[in-house]
Amino acid sequence: QVVLVESGGGLVQAGNSLRLSCAISGHTFTSYNVGWFRQAPEKEREFVAQISASGTYTYIADSMKARFAISRDNGWNTVYLQMNSLKPEDAATYYCAATKLWQRVNPIDYDYWGRGTQVTVSS
């Protein structure tokens, strides 16, 4: 069993940065790749980024590569999503999720999910 809890969301002005955290518990945490997704109201859940179990490899959606970065600290059982130059269209609920599969952009491929953290971007 893997439990994920997101934090770090909030209200931010357009152009500013925000770092989201995903705290993960479970004795098999280091065997899972972790991804971030986002979902805006009335839109489908969208892939943002994924990081490998070791933290060596990252995979970021093309449209977000220039502004977002993903990292993990296995010592603290935490995965981070750094978001820079935020835009109003980045506003959404952001979720982290765990999977043993790599380079997966479809939410159906993820086994465990957090409850999400809300990001609001004011223009």
Side-chain angles (χ1 to χ4, degrees):
Q1 181 77 7
V2 177
V3 178
L4 304 98
V5 179
E6 302 93 338
S7 63
L11 173 64
V12 63
Q13 212 166 14
N16 285 352
S17 299
L18 204 60
R19 188 176 80 160
L20 305 182
S21 298
C22 174
I24 307 170
S25 60
H27 68 282
T28 57
F29 158 69
T30 53
S31 64
Y32 281 86
N33 304 310
V34 176
W36 282 96
F37 288 77
R38 67 184 185 185
Q39 188 166 21
E42 300 183 4
K43 290 193 175 180
E44 290 189 356
R45 195 161 293 194
E46 177 184 26
F47 171 78
V48 176
Q50 189 186 31
I51 190 164
S52 63
S54 65
T56 303
Y57 303 103
T58 62
Y59 179 55
I60 304 176
D62 287 343
S63 61
M64 302 176 211
K65 271 181 186 175
R67 300 184 296 119
F68 290 9
I70 187 171
S71 61
R72 75 190 283 166
D73 184 336
N74 284 344
W76 289 98
N77 289 7
T78 304
V79 173
Y80 303 99
L81 181 68
Q82 177 69 41
M83 305 186 294
N84 300 321
S85 302
L86 282 162
K87 306 174 181 180
E89 52 264 41
D90 293 319
T93 299
Y94 284 71
Y95 300 90
C96 61
T99 178
K100 290 197 173 184
L101 306 174
W102 178 237
Q103 287 188 326
R104 290 296 195 261
V105 303
N106 193 332
I108 200 172
D109 291 325
Y110 288 75
D111 302 308
Y112 301 99
W113 288 85
R115 293 189 176 183
T117 185
Q118 180 72 38
V119 172
T120 305
V121 183
S122 64
S123 55

